[in-house]
Amino acid sequence: MKRYATVLLTGLAPVSWGTTYAVTTEFLPDGRPLFTGLMRALPAGLLLLALGRVLPRGAWWWKAAVLGALNIGAFFPLLFLSAYRLPGGMAAVVGSVGPLFVAGLSALLLAERPTVRTLLTGAAAALGVSLVVLKAAGALDPVGVLAALAAAASMSTGTVLAKRWGRPDGVGPLALTGWQLTAGGLLIAPIALLVEGTPPALDGRALGGYLYLALANTAVAYWLWFRGIGRLTATQVTFLGPLSPLTAAVLGWAALGQTLTPVQLAGMALAFGATVLGQRPATVPAAAAATTAPAAVTRKSGVPRATAPAD
């Protein structure tokens, strides 16, 4: 039951991220994706730093910078670039291959051998997402496709490295999340200034939208996400990703007057089923289990251990 509770709490992160499109279109100024990424990451990171009241030490200065660049600083701009250059939902389709990226990286870095079930479930999740969000028309932009693939690879690599490195002694997921969001926000800031210029004037509606994105959509959501990485396998965590485009589709139907076709409903059922199946732990034969290291790692040395990290 504790594992299922962890899965449900971690799943709230991509559900929250699925509201980003509606909030952006309804509350925020047009054409400022990098500024929006900056407003999501940096205030949330600084808030969590203040709450956690601990800074990185030793090797964790560069580890936090690497994780912040992969999960936030590179991921946000690449995601926005792909969304702007690709037609109707294609960025989400390309990004839905994340579970397959994680399966491959987990084999290399975590010694988690991908099973046939994992690969088939990952393909089913990508197919389901494509049925939900893919729209007809529009030639594929090579830059947009590469940006979407790079965004998925960046987040997948950050997820696997966060699992491999664990957390330092005495540091909880709140502080670790704050380090990454701050590092990522500081990376985005000069890019946003160079590409988009000075920040736009903000009214009360926009300020409310940015407040929601910084607090619920980023600070809380990424804390739940990195907390989940410490308690679940990297593959289980990334299989929750399709909940984001599914949430966006449901919210578009419920709040924005968009329609859902039978094909989209079938895609939602397929993607959600793949998400649920992806949470089932892989079965390890008894003989292999005796010689296979547990998936969790210690916070300090990275040596496998049997118990999950505590908050």
Side-chain angles (χ1 to χ4, degrees):
M1 291 301 296
K2 186 176 181 180
R3 186 178 68 83
Y4 289 124
T6 300
V7 169
L8 291 174
L9 286 174
T10 308
L12 291 177
V15 167
S16 175
W17 299 334
T19 67
T20 303
Y21 174 78
V23 172
T24 300
T25 56
E26 298 298 311
F27 292 91
L28 305 184
D30 294 332
R32 306 305 293 263
L34 292 176
F35 178 72
T36 297
L38 173 62
M39 292 294 288
R40 286 182 65 188
L42 192 55
L46 294 175
L47 173 63
L48 294 187
L49 280 182
L51 292 175
R53 294 184 295 179
V54 59
L55 293 176
R57 297 185 299 272
W60 271 99
W61 280 105
W62 68 264
K63 287 183 179 181
V66 169
L67 292 177
L70 291 170
N71 290 318
I72 309 296
F75 176 70
F76 279 4
L78 288 169
L79 182 67
F80 287 130
L81 177 61
S82 64
Y84 268 76
R85 297 186 69 107
L86 292 177
M90 178 59 75
V93 174
V94 178
S96 66
V97 302
L100 299 178
F101 278 138
V102 168
L105 290 168
S106 295
L108 292 174
L109 300 177
L110 302 177
E112 293 179 6
R113 182 180 301 175
T115 64
V116 173
R117 189 191 75 191
T118 297
L119 298 177
L120 292 177
T121 305
L127 176 60
V129 170
S130 69
L131 293 177
V132 174
V133 303
L134 192 58
K135 303 289 191 285
L140 294 184
D141 182 282
V143 174
V145 172
L146 289 175
L149 286 173
S154 181
M155 186 69 164
S156 299
T157 305
T159 297
V160 174
L161 285 179
K163 183 67 179 181
R164 178 180 174 84
W165 290 338
R167 299 196 303 266
D169 287 329
V171 174
L174 188 75
L176 184 60
T177 303
W179 298 351
Q180 295 182 60
L181 288 171
T182 302
L186 291 175
L187 182 61
I188 295 173
I191 301 174
L193 183 61
L194 289 174
V195 175
E196 297 178 353
T198 57
L202 303 178
D203 57 17
R205 189 177 181 86
L207 288 173
Y210 283 126
L211 184 64
Y212 166 79
L213 290 181
L215 295 180
N217 188 268
T218 303
V220 174
Y222 272 95
W223 168 68
L224 290 173
W225 185 255
F226 293 124
R227 176 182 179 272
I229 289 175
R231 294 166 174 256
L232 304 170
T233 69
T235 303
Q236 285 177 306
V237 172
T238 196
F239 263 113
L240 295 171
L243 292 177
S244 179
L246 296 185
T247 300
V250 171
L251 190 59
W253 166 76
L256 303 180
Q258 299 172 0
T259 59
L260 290 174
T261 66
V263 171
Q264 288 177 301
L265 292 174
M268 292 176 68
L270 179 60
F272 185 75
T275 297
V276 173
L277 186 59
Q279 303 312 307
R280 293 180 58 189
T283 56
V284 181
T291 58
T292 302
V297 297
T298 62
R299 299 171 191 166
K300 186 173 182 179
S301 65
V303 178
R305 68 174 186 178
T307 56
D311 287 338

